[in-house]
């Protein structure tokens, strides 16, 4: 039994889960700041990204050291590679939260549209669920749960499309139009967070099965049998 | 050019990917239900696998799993042990290696062997290489043959000015490459290596591993190694052997657990016992 290797792997996994918790806090903060027009909170979300980045770098360094010293193989190797990818996915999610916070500051003082904000709240709740499912299914090596992320993502994608439709109906007032355009970017950020959660699910599937495959293929929306199209 | 520029952007179909991934393999040795016993006690049993040409095949496994016994079957080295009995079948180019008309000396000429500890003759570097061709009365200029063998074994530049010196004056790594050159001098088809680098330092080990990479273009290489990372680095195919312990705990017999392409063995082995061994969770 290689005790050092097992300890190192356990530490990396724990750090990844912690990073996931930080991303959830970042997402919640970004949504609250947006909905309440709270620019102070938006600043906090932007500053909080340093916490996520610190975790990201620590995991990167841990993986580098583990690969150099332990030469993991088989399931150990797959776990390290999956953590390497998941680490980047989580860090990207946090970056999208920062973008949302920055957009929140840019629209300060402009009248908001309540329906759209409700839509964002709903997308946010779904994304929180997706991130939890992604982290839990990874921790428990639950393939079925990981695959369920595709369906959860469909709901986020649909909400994203509704936002675009709604913004188009906002009318010709320049201030409203500016707000609407910025909200399309917010919606896009949220939608991408969902995609990264699905990507984490794909890493779980790789870890469990040893075969890497995309749950859905953006360039073949009809997809091979058994896959659902995923919005780009 | 645009991305829709048909000819240049031919669609990547599953068929195309399969075609690209396909590896052409020629079977050199076919092993069927092999069983080797010493004085009636089985050391290895139930082994069936194919060894492919122009590749490196590694046998890995814990001590006592029969991997050295197995590799010695390929050039009938076990014939030299009076109590050894080899049952089952090993074919070489489709011919039964243990058939009644097969001359073991001819077998060992075609299927050379390099051992764990370098074992040069206490003769000059030159004579070590020239010995085989002379004994086997192989025609042709000996000087050229010696040079060619030393070059192929990546030793020529280091010894060309001291060919008359004793082979025992060489370093361990050089001695091992000399033994490989000695093996190559009789123009074998296959080189069997039983732990060829386990007595060498890391630099000499790298030299031997690089050499295997060069040699597999022209020869088929079979290697036994305790060093799993070495197998992962050099081998195209890897066979994992393990030990089966009898119910009463008295008999320990080697068995083949899994045989596959090396990347598969080290990324997603099919058998839990292989997984446990390669990840170091064995025992």
């Amino acid at each position: 039994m290689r005790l050092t290797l097992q300890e190192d792997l356990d530490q990396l996994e724990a750090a990844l889960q912690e990073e996931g918790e930080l991303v959830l806090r970042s997402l919640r903060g970004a949504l609250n700041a947006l909905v309440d027009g709270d620019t102070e909170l938006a600043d906090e979300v932007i500053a909080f990204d340093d916490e996520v980045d610190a975790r990201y770098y620590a995991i990167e360094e841990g993986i580098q050291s583990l690969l150099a010293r332990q030469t993991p193989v088989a399931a150990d190797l797959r776990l390290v590679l999956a953590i390497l990818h998941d680490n980047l996915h989580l860090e990207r999610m946090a970056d999208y939260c920062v973008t949302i916070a920055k957009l929140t500051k840019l629209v300060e003082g402009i009248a908001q549209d309540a329906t759209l904000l409700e839509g964002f709240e709903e997308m946010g709740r779904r994304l929180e669920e997706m991130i939890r499912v992604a982290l839990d299914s990874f921790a428990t090596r639950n393939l079925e749960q990981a695959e369920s992320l595709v369906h959860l993502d469909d709901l986020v994608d649909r909400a994203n499309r509704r936002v675009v439709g709604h913004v188009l109906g906002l009318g010709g007032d320049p201030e409203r139009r500016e707000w609407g355009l910025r909200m399309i970017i917010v919606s896009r950020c949220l939608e991408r967070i969902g995609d990264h959660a699905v990507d984490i699910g794909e890493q779980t599937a790789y870890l469990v099965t040893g075969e890497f495959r995309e749950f859905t293929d953006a360039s073949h929306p009809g997809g091979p049998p058994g896959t659902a199209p995923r919005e780009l | 050019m645009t991305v829709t520029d048909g000819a240049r952007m031919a669609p990547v179909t599953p068929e195309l990917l399969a075609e690209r991934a396909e590896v052409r393999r020629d079977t050199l040795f076919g092993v069927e239900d092999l069983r080797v016993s010493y004085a009636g006690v089985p050391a290895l049993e139930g082994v069936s696998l194919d060894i492919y040409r122009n590749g490196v095949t590694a046998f890995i496994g814990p001590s006592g799993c029969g991997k050295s016994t197995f590799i010695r079957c390929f050039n009938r080295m076990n014939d030299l042990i009076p109590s050894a009995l080899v049952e089952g079948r090993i074919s070489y180019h489709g011919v039964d290696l243990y058939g009644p008309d097969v001359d073991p000396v001819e077998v060992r000429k075609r299927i050379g062997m390099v051992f764990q500890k370098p074992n040069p003759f206490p003769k000059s570097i030159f004579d070590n290489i020239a010995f085989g061709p002379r004994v086997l009365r192989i025609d042709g200029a000996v000087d050229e043959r010696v040079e060619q063998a030393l070059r192929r074994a990546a030793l020529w530049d280091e010894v060309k000015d001291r060919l008359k010196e004793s082979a025992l004056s060489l370093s361990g790594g050089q001695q091992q490459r000399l033994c490989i050159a000695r093996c190559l001098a009789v123009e074998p088809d296959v080189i069997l290596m039983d732990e060829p680098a386990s007595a060498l330092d890391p630099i000499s080990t790298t030299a031997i591993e690089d050499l295997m990479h060069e040699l597999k273009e022209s020869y088929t290489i079979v290697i036994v190694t305790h060093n799993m990372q070495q197998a992962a680095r050099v081998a195209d195919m890897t066979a994992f052997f393990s030990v089966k312990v009898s119910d009463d705990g008295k008999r320990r017999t080697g068995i083949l657990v899994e045989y596959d392409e090396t990347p598969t063995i080290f990324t997603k082995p099919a058998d839990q016992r292989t997984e446990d061994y390669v990840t170091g969770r064995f025992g």
Side-chain angles (χ1 to χ4, degrees):
Chain A
M1 186 73 185
R2 295 171 63 185
L3 290 176
T4 319
L5 172 62
Q6 193 56 56
E7 275 173 20
D8 287 355
L9 290 171
D10 290 347
Q11 275 174 16
L12 282 173
E13 260 206 271
L16 189 79
Q17 291 289 336
E18 282 169 23
E19 188 183 3
E21 292 300 325
L22 296 184
V23 170
L24 280 165
R25 282 171 63 186
S26 190
L27 177 62
R28 183 34 54 199
L31 283 164
N32 286 348
L34 175 73
V35 173
D36 301 339
D38 186 342
T39 54
E40 221 168 279
L41 181 57
D43 278 329
E44 279 180 40
V45 170
I46 293 165
F48 187 71
D49 194 47
D50 290 346
E51 302 273 333
V52 178
D53 286 348
R55 219 46 72 103
Y56 168 77
Y57 287 125
I59 292 173
E60 279 278 321
E61 279 171 18
I63 289 174
Q64 184 177 300
S65 159
L66 186 143
L67 288 174
R69 299 174 63 196
Q70 301 285 353
T71 43
V73 295
D76 296 338
L77 176 64
R78 300 204 300 274
L79 177 59
V80 174
L81 292 178
I83 292 173
L84 186 69
H85 284 283
D86 289 351
N87 189 31
L88 190 59
H89 290 308
L90 290 173
E91 192 269 341
R92 287 281 159 84
M93 287 182 184
D95 284 348
Y96 285 120
C97 295
V98 169
T99 305
I100 293 169
K102 286 181 177 169
L103 288 162
T104 299
K105 292 177 72 180
L106 284 173
V107 297
E108 190 186 5
I110 303 178
Q112 309 211 71
D113 180 279
T115 315
L116 211 51
L117 292 181
E118 272 168 37
F120 287 147
E121 259 298 337
E122 187 202 324
M123 279 175 95
R125 280 194 300 275
R126 292 199 188 286
L127 288 172
E128 283 167 336
E129 186 192 352
M130 284 183 77
I131 295 170
R132 291 211 181 279
V133 167
L135 293 170
D136 288 351
S137 57
F138 187 74
T140 57
R141 315 289 192 256
N142 187 328
L143 182 60
E144 206 177 319
Q145 203 187 3
E147 285 171 341
S148 75
L149 284 161
V150 173
H151 303 295
L152 294 171
D153 193 43
D154 283 346
L155 302 175
V156 175
D157 290 343
R158 265 182 236 160
N160 178 43
R161 283 195 288 273
R162 279 201 300 275
V163 168
V164 176
H166 191 80
V167 167
L168 289 174
L170 279 177
D173 173 43
E175 207 172 57
R176 294 277 281 171
R177 265 202 330 232
E178 183 195 337
W179 186 81
L181 282 172
R182 297 208 191 282
M183 289 310 108
I184 283 180
I185 302 173
V186 166
S187 184
R188 165 75 175 166
C189 286
L190 293 171
E191 188 269 327
R192 287 298 292 153
I193 289 173
D195 289 346
H196 282 289
V198 175
D199 290 341
I200 290 175
E202 289 172 350
Q203 292 300 322
T204 303
Y206 163 70
L207 174 58
V208 173
T209 65
E211 298 285 342
F212 184 78
R213 64 183 176 89
E214 289 190 284
F215 286 159
T216 56
D217 187 341
S219 58
H220 299 94
T227 58
R230 186 155 107 226
E231 177 100 336
L232 239 197
Chain B
M1 185 193 125
T2 69
V3 289
T4 52
D5 206 3
R8 287 193 165 199
M9 302 291 286
V12 180
T13 60
E15 291 78 20
L16 186 68
L17 290 173
E19 194 180 308
R20 281 185 200 160
E22 194 185 343
V23 184
R24 246 189 73 80
R25 287 208 195 99
D26 295 329
T27 298
L28 182 64
F29 290 103
V31 180
E32 292 165 42
D33 200 19
L34 195 83
R35 173 189 163 101
V36 185
S37 41
Y38 297 112
V41 180
L44 182 72
E45 64 184 18
V47 178
S48 300
L49 54 74
D50 287 343
I51 304 265
Y52 305 108
R53 267 173 109 146
N54 295 114
V56 177
T57 302
F59 301 155
I60 61 170
S63 295
C65 70
K67 55 193 188 297
S68 286
T69 293
F70 187 48
I71 199 173
R72 293 164 63 90
C73 293
F74 289 96
N75 68 343
R76 297 187 55 165
M77 289 292 279
N78 289 319
D79 290 15
L80 308 174
I81 301 170
S83 66
L85 176 66
V86 177
E87 296 164 282
R89 184 182 151 93
I90 300 185
S91 64
Y92 168 63
H93 289 288
V95 176
D96 183 359
L97 203 59
Y98 286 78
D101 304 330
V102 174
D103 174 9
V105 175
E106 180 65 21
V107 167
R108 288 176 209 135
K109 176 180 164 255
R110 293 204 193 188
I111 305 167
M113 192 155 192
V114 177
F115 299 88
Q116 180 174 3
K117 220 175 141 209
N119 55 353
F121 304 133
K123 290 171 173 286
S124 72
I125 293 167
F126 184 93
D127 286 343
N128 261 273
I129 311 297
F131 184 83
R134 278 178 188 150
V135 168
L136 294 164
R137 296 200 173 83
I138 296 174
D139 296 335
V142 175
D143 287 8
E144 273 176 31
R145 186 173 286 274
V146 170
E147 178 176 339
Q148 196 186 29
L150 286 168
R151 278 189 188 280
R152 279 190 188 163
L155 190 59
W156 175 251
D157 289 338
E158 292 163 57
V159 301
K160 62 184 176 193
D161 301 322
R162 47 194 281 211
L163 294 173
K164 296 269 189 286
E165 285 179 30
S166 167
L168 302 176
S169 68
L170 298 172
S171 73
Q174 289 172 326
Q175 287 186 16
Q176 194 62 306
R177 277 179 284 148
L178 181 77
C179 293
I180 293 172
R182 190 174 65 188
C183 181
L184 298 176
V186 296
E187 293 177 2
D189 183 27
V190 182
I191 307 167
L192 307 175
M193 298 184 177
D194 191 353
E195 297 273 2
S198 62
L200 306 181
D201 67 62
I203 293 170
S204 303
T205 299
T206 305
I208 299 285
E209 289 179 3
D210 287 348
L211 186 55
M212 280 188 243
H213 192 72
E214 300 277 319
L215 292 175
K216 75 173 182 181
E217 297 291 321
S218 320
Y219 308 90
T220 301
I221 297 174
V222 183
I223 172 178
V224 164
T225 177
H226 266 299
N227 181 338
M228 275 185 293
Q229 285 310 313
Q230 181 167 65
R233 286 191 297 264
V234 304
D236 300 296
M237 299 291 292
T238 296
F240 170 62
F241 290 81
S242 190
V243 184
K244 185 180 74 182
V245 182
S246 63
D247 289 342
D248 60 7
K250 286 182 182 164
R251 287 240 162 120
R252 299 170 66 82
T253 314
I255 50 163
L256 172 64
V257 173
E258 186 169 353
Y259 180 49
D260 211 325
E261 290 175 8
T262 302
T264 304
I265 295 287
F266 288 96
T267 56
K268 42 172 181 159
D271 195 292
Q272 187 61 42
R273 290 168 292 178
T274 315
E275 172 99 28
D276 290 347
Y277 186 75
V278 298
T279 57
R281 287 171 176 80
F282 178 77

